[in-house]
Amino acid sequence: MFEHAQNHETMTFYELAEELGTTPADVERRFRKEAEDRGQLDYFLRSALLRQLYHYVPNGVRSHGDWKLTRALSSWIGMVGTTRDVESYCKKVGDAIQNDDHVATDWLPSTANDPAFLKYFQQ
């Protein structure tokens, strides 16, 4: 699952699930477990947010209005925030994205390792 998800970074969990004949929750659970087993939780967190952005704001983080971006971030935090530390970290990332006045209307990260995307995770 990890390699497949890594090779299809802009596919949403829904699209991956349809392709693999399973549920989005199963894809997320298996992907997370394999990422944790590999010591790649940070990559999983970025990848999961990338997939939520492509699902909720496919034309860019500012092109759908604040509500859609908030839904993407809330869905991501709800999915990955299994501990208080992870949830707090995710909220800081979400706040950084929402409060960035310099992000282009149609911007979406191209990969989970997109330098413009990574900056939100390094704050």
Side-chain angles (χ1 to χ4, degrees):
M1 177 63 67
F2 185 89
E3 288 87 8
H4 187 73
Q6 193 173 36
N7 290 330
H8 299 89
E9 286 192 312
T10 60
M11 288 180 75
T12 69
F13 283 113
Y14 296 95
E15 292 167 333
L16 286 171
E18 185 175 314
E19 181 181 89
L20 298 170
T22 188
T23 65
D26 184 52
V27 170
E28 181 270 324
R29 182 186 51 75
R30 290 172 44 203
F31 180 27
R32 183 185 188 124
K33 172 139 179 32
E34 287 183 33
E36 287 175 340
D37 290 348
R38 294 167 184 247
Q40 296 285 328
L41 182 61
D42 288 345
Y43 173 79
F44 169 77
L45 293 175
R46 291 190 313 273
S47 178
L49 177 53
L50 178 77
R51 294 170 201 287
Q52 295 301 74
L53 292 173
Y54 272 79
H55 178 75
Y56 285 101
V57 292
N59 295 324
V61 297
R62 297 277 188 252
S63 64
H64 300 274
D66 290 338
W67 173 241
K68 292 276 191 163
L69 178 57
T70 299
R71 286 188 66 196
L73 294 168
S74 297
S75 179
W76 173 62
I77 292 168
M79 175 195 313
V80 301
T82 56
T83 67
R84 186 173 303 277
D85 290 342
V86 171
E87 185 176 334
S88 175
Y89 171 73
C90 291
K91 285 181 180 178
K92 287 178 186 175
V93 170
D95 288 346
I97 293 170
Q98 286 184 307
N99 295 325
D100 187 349
D101 294 332
H102 298 99
V103 66
T105 301
D106 62 350
W107 177 79
L108 276 176
S110 56
T111 72
N113 293 318
D114 180 324
F117 191 47
L118 286 173
K119 74 178 182 181
Y120 298 115
F121 290 85
Q122 296 169 343
Q123 295 184 12

